[in-house]
Amino acid sequence: MLFNSYIFIFIFFPLGIIIYYSIFKRCTKLFSNIFILLISLIFYGYWNPNYTLLFISSIVINYGFGNFIMRKNRIDFQSKIALSFGVFFNLSILFYYKYSLFLFSNINSLFSFSIPLKSIVLPLAVSFFTFQQIAYLVDAYSGYIDNKKNNLISYACFVSFFPQLIAGPIVHHSEIMPQLLDQQKKKVNYRNMSLGLFSFSIGLFKKVILADTLAKYVAAGFDGTAPLTFLEAWMASLSYTFQLYFDFSGYTDMAIGAALFFNITLPINFNSPYKATSLNSFWNNWHMTLSRFVNAYIFMPLLKLRTGYSFRYTLICLFLSLTAMGLWHGASWSFVIFGMCHGVGVGINHIWKKKLRFKISSLLGCFLTFMFFNCTLVLFRSQESSATFNVFSGMLGLNGFVLPSFLDNWSFLFPEAVSFGGVFTHISGDVRTVFWVILSAIIVFACPNSNYMRETFKCDPKRLLFSVLMFGLSVLNLSSYSEFLYFDF
């Protein structure tokens, strides 16, 4: 089920809210959490009921591992073994469904083997709920979880809570569980509902009006076979850079908004990443909960494998961590290379700041960071190497330059290599393509982000009108709704 669908907006979600608060008036908090669990499983199973059993089994088994770990002393050998098996169990699910086909197809190609391969349908949100449960097991081992307040129903609610289930944010047990157990959170809070509607409307607008509009230029540019000219390639790449941001940050805004209707506060996941003046800053503000996970459970453990500080070893750990982050997004060499590029980029950033100590202006730093991310996203989006080559060739001007036909009378001002005609023919675009890219840039670089708008939110007529306009305009365009990009990860 999609946030940007009629069935969610007008049936599933409003009915869920009404029944939830009706249950609280008559039943205990246990029944309230059972209801959250029930609608979360319906929300998950709506996409593919066959994988609901896998999801439930994963929850039950991880809860068992966590319970066993918390009953033991954390320095106990059995506790360490349980943690190891628990992490292995989660990674095995992730590997089988997401990476096994990629691995064995590469083995077949490299060694001329003929290992039989069959297509495997990727379970929805498998990357998110496995990482979330790995974090739970590690936190249980580290003594950060109170076993007395932990039960199977509450734990299942924590993992499956539907606003953040499909594409994050990746939350910690300590962030959500106390809220699920707080009786005061079970009462109607009209301010939270107003803020939730405000946040949901912002996210819906980002997805439906901005991301989905840009998507058609991206699809034509990256999936087509015609050589892209200079302007076409740049419009296609910039369209994807803005589409990805609006799509994913829009989902996060909707998730935060939907959770607020239940008086649950989710962590922010984006904080104006395109305004970052360095790659370090960028990854601290883009998909923040994933960066937090990678830092806590990959980078820091790698760093602690070696005693004493070594700048070179730190760079190696950064490179490996960001490569793993790239691989987390999908089983493809393009994702691996994307992660490696950012590992190298962050390493250069560290050398630049800590060794060379060069300083550049914030404006130049922002421009370089954005352009680096934009160029590496070509790898991220391309399904085939031919698409990567086509877009990069166009961005470098190797496929020619085409300007609007009305400039033909001024052709003597331009080099002979420039031709005149349909500028955006190969990306199914026109002058509106430029408008949407420029509008996206203005929103990203000049407007306050949704976090600031939530922090300064007031229940007044101006914001009510703003919410209604965004919500209404988005709903009117729902006839062509599409999946969120991060559903594939």
Side-chain angles (χ1 to χ4, degrees):
M1 193 179 301
L2 302 174
F3 286 163
N4 55 323
S5 63
Y6 290 117
I7 189 172
F8 179 85
I9 294 173
F10 295 113
I11 299 176
F12 178 85
F13 191 61
L15 279 179
I17 295 296
I18 293 169
I19 297 172
Y20 174 75
Y21 286 110
S22 299
I23 285 176
F24 175 74
K25 290 180 179 179
R26 297 172 176 81
C27 306
T28 64
K29 65 182 178 182
L30 176 63
F31 283 95
S32 299
N33 286 341
I34 289 174
F35 179 73
I36 289 180
L37 175 60
L38 177 63
I39 62 173
S40 295
L41 292 177
I42 293 172
F43 180 83
Y44 184 83
Y46 185 86
W47 171 77
N48 189 336
N50 295 332
Y51 282 122
T52 305
L53 182 60
L54 170 70
F55 182 50
I56 294 172
S57 301
S58 173
I59 290 173
V60 173
I61 292 172
N62 275 283
Y63 175 76
F65 276 122
N67 239 18
F68 181 85
I69 291 169
M70 286 184 283
R71 286 202 305 267
K72 298 288 182 179
N73 187 304
R74 79 183 198 89
I75 62 173
D76 188 276
F77 178 73
Q78 291 180 321
S79 182
K80 293 180 179 179
I81 293 295
L83 174 64
S84 301
F85 273 104
V87 172
F88 177 78
F89 167 75
N90 286 286
L91 292 180
S92 296
I93 293 177
L94 194 60
F95 170 79
Y96 174 75
Y97 285 103
K98 194 167 184 176
Y99 300 108
S100 59
L101 188 62
F102 172 67
L103 176 65
F104 291 122
S105 62
N106 277 278
I107 290 175
N108 282 346
S109 299
L110 188 61
F111 299 104
S112 300
F113 289 170
S114 56
I115 301 172
L117 304 173
K118 65 176 182 178
S119 179
I120 300 173
V121 178
L122 185 68
L124 196 61
V126 65
S127 297
F128 288 91
F129 71 71
T130 52
F131 269 32
Q132 189 167 319
Q133 294 191 103
I134 288 173
Y136 164 76
L137 294 178
V138 175
D139 288 349
Y141 178 79
S142 302
Y144 297 146
I145 297 174
D146 185 356
N147 194 30
K148 295 179 181 179
K149 296 182 178 180
N150 195 35
N151 58 68
L152 180 57
I153 298 299
S154 299
Y155 174 75
C157 283
F158 149 69
V159 177
S160 66
F161 186 47
F162 74 89
Q164 55 82 43
L165 170 61
I166 306 301
I170 302 172
V171 296
H172 281 283
H173 185 277
S174 59
E175 291 173 322
I176 302 301
M177 188 60 70
Q179 299 186 71
L180 289 171
L181 298 176
D182 187 351
Q183 283 289 85
Q184 296 302 313
K185 298 278 187 182
K186 308 295 182 180
K187 298 178 181 179
V188 177
N189 185 319
Y190 292 106
R191 187 185 187 282
N192 276 350
M193 287 190 171
S194 300
L195 181 56
L197 177 61
F198 179 72
S199 182
F200 190 91
S201 299
I202 292 174
L204 191 63
F205 182 87
K206 284 182 178 180
K207 168 60 178 172
V208 175
I209 303 301
L210 298 173
D212 287 353
T213 299
L214 294 166
K216 60 184 179 182
Y217 309 127
V218 175
F222 280 86
D223 300 337
T225 56
L228 300 181
T229 63
F230 181 78
L231 290 178
E232 287 174 336
W234 276 101
M235 284 297 109
S237 67
L238 289 170
S239 293
Y240 182 63
T241 299
F242 289 123
Q243 180 204 1
L244 184 65
Y245 173 71
F246 288 132
D247 193 281
F248 195 19
S249 69
Y251 178 93
T252 300
D253 290 332
M254 282 187 269
I256 290 172
L260 282 170
F261 277 85
F262 295 91
N263 298 318
I264 302 296
T265 302
L266 297 178
I268 64 174
N269 217 18
F270 292 87
N271 190 25
S272 298
Y274 290 166
K275 295 179 183 178
T277 58
S278 68
L279 275 182
N280 290 349
S281 176
F282 174 86
W283 283 110
N284 286 330
N285 293 285
W286 173 280
H287 203 345
M288 296 161 67
T289 55
L290 175 61
S291 297
R292 177 179 67 176
F293 180 94
V294 170
N295 180 68
Y297 303 109
I298 298 179
F299 174 70
M300 291 307 296
L302 283 174
L303 204 61
K304 292 176 181 177
L305 288 177
R306 181 171 178 171
T307 57
Y309 175 77
S310 167
F311 184 74
R312 182 179 297 178
Y313 183 66
T314 301
L315 295 181
I316 293 172
C317 293
L318 281 170
F319 177 80
L320 294 175
S321 299
L322 282 158
T323 301
M325 184 183 287
L327 184 60
W328 175 88
H329 284 90
S332 166
W333 283 113
S334 61
F335 291 119
V336 175
I337 297 171
F338 169 83
M340 293 171 67
C341 287
H342 279 269
V344 172
V346 170
I348 292 173
N349 197 155
H350 270 67
I351 294 171
W352 186 280
K353 289 180 65 176
K354 296 187 177 181
K355 294 295 183 181
L356 303 179
R357 302 189 183 220
F358 289 160
K359 291 184 178 181
I360 59 176
S361 68
S362 297
L363 185 62
L364 179 58
C366 180
F367 175 78
L368 292 175
T369 302
F370 178 80
M371 282 294 110
F372 180 84
F373 187 64
N374 178 72
C375 291
T376 56
L377 278 185
V378 174
L379 297 166
F380 193 88
R381 172 59 176 81
S382 300
Q383 301 298 318
E384 304 289 342
S385 57
S386 58
T388 305
F389 180 78
N390 185 22
V391 177
F392 275 137
S393 296
M395 293 172 73
L396 294 172
L398 301 180
N399 296 333
F401 298 80
V402 177
L403 294 178
S405 55
F406 70 84
L407 293 174
D408 195 8
N409 294 332
W410 301 88
S411 59
F412 62 90
L413 295 175
F414 302 97
E416 291 184 4
V418 176
S419 58
F420 302 87
V423 181
F424 303 117
T425 303
H426 298 137
I427 61 170
S428 302
D430 49 35
V431 68
R432 288 172 293 183
T433 309
V434 180
F435 166 79
W436 284 109
V437 169
I438 291 176
L439 177 63
S440 299
I442 291 172
I443 292 172
V444 164
F445 292 107
C447 296
N449 63 34
S450 55
N451 303 324
Y452 177 81
M453 296 171 77
R454 281 191 293 269
E455 289 172 0
T456 58
F457 176 78
K458 295 179 181 178
C459 296
D460 56 28
K462 182 175 71 173
R463 285 171 178 79
L464 175 62
L465 178 61
F466 183 69
S467 300
V468 170
L469 286 174
M470 286 192 300
F471 184 81
L473 186 59
S474 301
V475 167
L476 290 174
N477 287 272
L478 279 183
S479 58
S480 59
Y481 68 85
S482 61
E483 286 189 356
F484 292 85
L485 295 177
Y486 263 70
F487 278 24
D488 294 329
F489 304 142

